[in-house]
Amino acid sequence: MLRRICTLAAVAAATALATPAMAQTSGGTMNVVIQPEPPGLMLGITQNGPTQMVAGNIYESLLRYDTELNPMPSLAESWEVNEDGTVYTFKLKDGVTWHDGEPFSAADVVFSADVFLRETHPRLRVSLQHVETIEALDDRTVQFTLKQPFGPFLGIFEVGTMPMVPKHIYEGTDFKNNPMNATPIGTGPFKFAEWEKGSYIRLVKNEDYHVEGQPYLDEIYWHVIPDAASRSVAYETGKVDVLPGGSVENFDVQRLVDLENSCVTGKGWEYFAPHAWLWVNNREGPMADKRFRQAIMYALDREFAKEVIWNGLGQVPTGPVSSKTRFYTDDVRQYPHDPEKAKELLAEMGYDGTPIRLLPLPYGETWQRWAEAVRQNLQEAGIAVEMVATDVAGWNQKLAEWDYDLAFTYLYQYGDPALGVARTYLSSNIAKGSQWNNVEGYVNEEVDRLFNEAAVAFPDSARQELYTEVQQILVEEVPVAWLLEIEFPTIHRCDVKDLVDTAIGVNDGFRNAWLDR
Amino acid sequence: MATTTASEKPQRSARAQAFADFCKRFARNKGAVVGLVILLAVVLLALIAPLLYPASPWQMVQRPFLPPMATEGFWFGTDTLGRDIGAGLAYGARISLIVGIVSTVVALTIGVTIGALAGYYGGYLDDALMRFTEFFQTIPNFALAIVLVAIFQPSTTSVIIAIGIVSWPPVARLVRGEFLSLRSREFVQASIVLGQSNGHIITRQILPNTLSPVIVMASLMIAQAILLESSLSFLGLGDPNTMSWGYMIGAARTVIRQAWWMSFFPGVAILLTVLALNLVGEGLNDALNPRLARKGR
């Protein structure tokens, strides 16, 4: 018997269509800032932030996700999973065409996932290791057969993780050097028009888009403005309508939001759920003592950092899993701001005042101020802290070589602990030379076991149980000091409607966005 | 004062008389006196900083972005994190003066040594040392300082060393010039005839006679060093653990339109200190080189 998730999705889609908040008007040009200028727009090959922000309009994947991370139809109109969670069957939407007029079919899906992205997309490649075969049953049906259940599987069909690329253009070519990479062809709501390097990228409406009547906008200009202050000015003078998250300094946000006809939202980061923490080098010095790490948690005034440095956006995390990510639990030890408690713990372990080094993240003013506030918090609890000045290259190197005591970072969670959380705590993931793995050197066999079992457990209730347990252990042991669930503010004119309505926000393309002018 | 000691110790009396003359000539330059007063005020501020502000200047004491004069006790307002700008100014004075003075001492040590050797011995040694000096002079000061600090990791020590290294060439050239002209004077010839060693002649006979222009230059170099330190800190290349004026301006730059006071007060502090040092330098010049000064009037 097959579990039918598709009915639910269909109902959700129907209600969404049945209750339009306002009558959308078509037409108009949207001006958006893109920072920094992307290296390329072929999303299958380049997956960094700015590329996806622009190319999310050009390419699509099988699914989209609402802000609760529930899958919604995109190129797939329905999907089924067998009852032991190993066979996923997707029914593709009818009448979808590529921007060059060729029809989109199941063969494109198989080519994209099994051939193209396996070669070019390191993050997806890891998830696809759980997949035995990808087959096209007919022109509109694709079946993924897994080696064993893989909990996060339905979460890997986001456009940046699995963008559909045209088989008729790429089959048999050298993917990375295909000249068509300069003029990307997708199925998305907007088509690539021109790219004036160093100045702007222009996308135009896809008249043959597979959703009737959409998109509403005629064209989108992505402006390349290298200086943060100039980006603020461009918004103030009305040159641009949208400042995506991270394109202006946090300290400028309030001033820009206070302008007339200016709105801000922290939504649209639920899928990535950027989670900021302090790496704590568990290997050496006082940091090897659990009580010292707990003392750090008590010493930090995380509420202050959220309110003052991040303008109140975001949320103070309870542990390793973001509250926006699946299988989150708040049933863990709590660490309120309590310097006295921190001092007690330090006295109990006999901390001798050994100075420890703090490595800020060299990503601009916000992070520098944050590091200063953290240093002050720790000093007030009696921990001697010295800040180390560094640049991006130095930061990367020091972390990769484990040459640090405390260091700032933030990482994406991709909706599921198996994709974005486990990598930081698994002892099998300790390896010099990378700053994205278990950099803190935390080793706990029980945690390893729980994470590994939870990744392949089925159904979700079994996974929740395992993840709850692992979160409780980790929060007790504090392998790293969690600081903030970051929300990057998207600032936009209030008459830009329906800009952010999915879990990846501006990165998901502007297919629903319209201008109320 | 001079009269009482005159009969007993004639030599001291001559010195005291010289000092009184010096003071008189210095005082004649009103600007220099104003400069000296400002400078003493800054030094005093640096000395009593811990008494005025017992808490660390990094401590977040009030709500952020508090305008100046808005709250009792926070005359200069607070910054992005709610730290007291006043405390920052007081503690910033310390680091500015320390860096200014110590790096000038470093630069003088290098510059005077090289200049003296080149000027006294002449010949190939002079050529070699002067080419070496020119090599440093051709590299823009600030660019070299940035490179040095970046290589050595920003800290107070590395900033001092970097500023010292980039500021010595003018000293070397000045001292060399003085040595060249003094070397052929009779008192030096006499010393050689008396059989004094080269080291003795350099340090005891010639060097004291070159000091007046060096002192004038040193006072201007301190001002220069304070500016350099502020510029480095502004760019984020200062010691991240020390509150300095340049850092305060750098951190305030992004919010200058919301909070003018955050960059204004440290800016004024730098302006006043550097101006004071320049005025004092000019006064010293008048006092130490009376003939030159009178020509100017």
Side-chain angles (χ1 to χ4, degrees), chain A residues 3-10 71 79-81 154:
Chain A
R3 278 176 11 125
R4 294 199 163 258
I5 305 179
C6 54
T7 359
L8 214 147
W79 54 97
E80 294 167 347
V81 52
L154 265 187

Side-chain angles (χ1 to χ4, degrees), chain B residues 63-149:
Chain B
R63 68 183 172 78
F65 293 121
L66 206 60
M69 314 298 265
T71 307
E72 183 103 15
F74 293 91
W75 306 118
F76 298 98
T78 61
D79 72 357
T80 36
L81 294 182
R83 300 177 293 211
D84 190 348
I85 303 274
L89 291 177
Y91 284 87
R94 306 186 123 194
I95 190 69
S96 288
L97 291 178
I98 291 174
V99 169
I101 292 167
V102 179
S103 64
T104 300
V105 169
V106 171
L108 286 180
T109 314
I110 306 175
V112 168
T113 312
I114 288 182
L117 291 176
Y120 185 76
Y121 290 105
Y124 287 124
L125 183 66
D126 182 25
D127 276 348
L129 288 174
M130 282 305 108
R131 295 301 87 76
F132 180 66
T133 310
E134 277 158 15
F135 170 75
F136 273 87
Q137 274 191 309
T138 50
I139 307 172
N141 269 2
F142 192 48
L144 182 58
I146 289 179
V147 171
L148 289 172
V149 172

Side-chain angles (χ1 to χ4, degrees), chain B residues 68-246:
Chain B
M69 314 298 265
T71 307
E72 183 103 15
F74 293 91
W75 306 118
F76 298 98
T78 61
D79 72 357
T80 36
L81 294 182
R83 300 177 293 211
D84 190 348
I85 303 274
L89 291 177
Y91 284 87
R94 306 186 123 194
I95 190 69
S96 288
L97 291 178
I98 291 174
V99 169
I101 292 167
V102 179
S103 64
T104 300
V105 169
V106 171
L108 286 180
T109 314
I110 306 175
V112 168
T113 312
I114 288 182
L117 291 176
Y120 185 76
Y121 290 105
Y124 287 124
L125 183 66
D126 182 25
D127 276 348
L129 288 174
M130 282 305 108
R131 295 301 87 76
F132 180 66
T133 310
E134 277 158 15
F135 170 75
F136 273 87
Q137 274 191 309
T138 50
I139 307 172
N141 269 2
F142 192 48
L144 182 58
I146 289 179
V147 171
L148 289 172
V149 172
I151 292 172
F152 293 124
Q153 294 296 327
S155 74
T156 306
T157 320
S158 67
V159 167
I160 287 175
I161 292 175
I163 296 178
I165 288 178
V166 301
S167 359
W168 64 265
V171 184
R173 296 201 75 92
L174 175 77
V175 172
R176 171 179 173 269
E178 294 288 320
F179 265 71
L180 279 178
S181 78
L182 290 174
R183 183 172 68 160
S184 48
R185 297 278 189 81
E186 284 89 354
F187 73 96
V188 178
Q189 304 295 342
S191 307
I192 295 172
V193 171
L194 282 172
Q196 288 182 340
S197 70
N198 285 333
H200 191 89
I201 296 173
I202 289 174
T203 54
R204 297 288 166 80
Q205 302 294 349
I206 306 183
L207 199 54
N209 285 298
T210 66
L211 277 187
S212 8
V214 172
I215 288 172
V216 173
M217 185 176 240
S219 68
L220 300 176
M221 279 169 66
I222 296 178
Q224 196 62 38
I226 289 178
L227 276 180
L228 265 177
E229 189 275 334
S230 300
S231 314
L232 287 171
S233 298
F234 175 81
L235 294 177
L237 285 167
D239 187 334
N241 297 298
T242 334
M243 183 63 84
S244 84
W245 294 337

Side-chain angles (χ1 to χ4, degrees), chain A residues 23 35 43 65 108 114-115 126 151 170 225 237 301 324 337 352 378 383 394 406 409 448 463 475 487 500 507:
Chain A
Q35 161 61 24
L43 191 51
Y65 302 87
D108 288 307
D114 215 18
V115 183
V126 175
Y170 286 98
I225 307 174
T237 56
D301 190 349
K324 293 160 190 88
H337 176 50
D352 57 359
L378 296 177
I383 302 174
L406 300 178
T409 196
D448 290 353
R463 301 188 69 203
V475 174
E487 280 176 13
V500 172
N507 295 297

Side-chain angles (χ1 to χ4, degrees), chain A residues 236 251 372 375-376 387 389, chain B residues 83 240-241 247 257-258:
Chain A
E236 279 173 85
F251 301 109
E372 287 163 8
R375 176 183 58 188
Q376 194 58 32
M387 183 128 64
Chain B
R83 300 177 293 211
N241 297 298
Y247 157 82
R257 292 170 60 184
Q258 292 105 300

Side-chain angles (χ1 to χ4, degrees), chain A residues 173-185:
Chain A
T173 66
D174 174 3
F175 302 149
K176 295 203 168 164
N177 296 316
N178 191 315
M180 286 301 285
N181 291 344
T183 51
I185 297 289

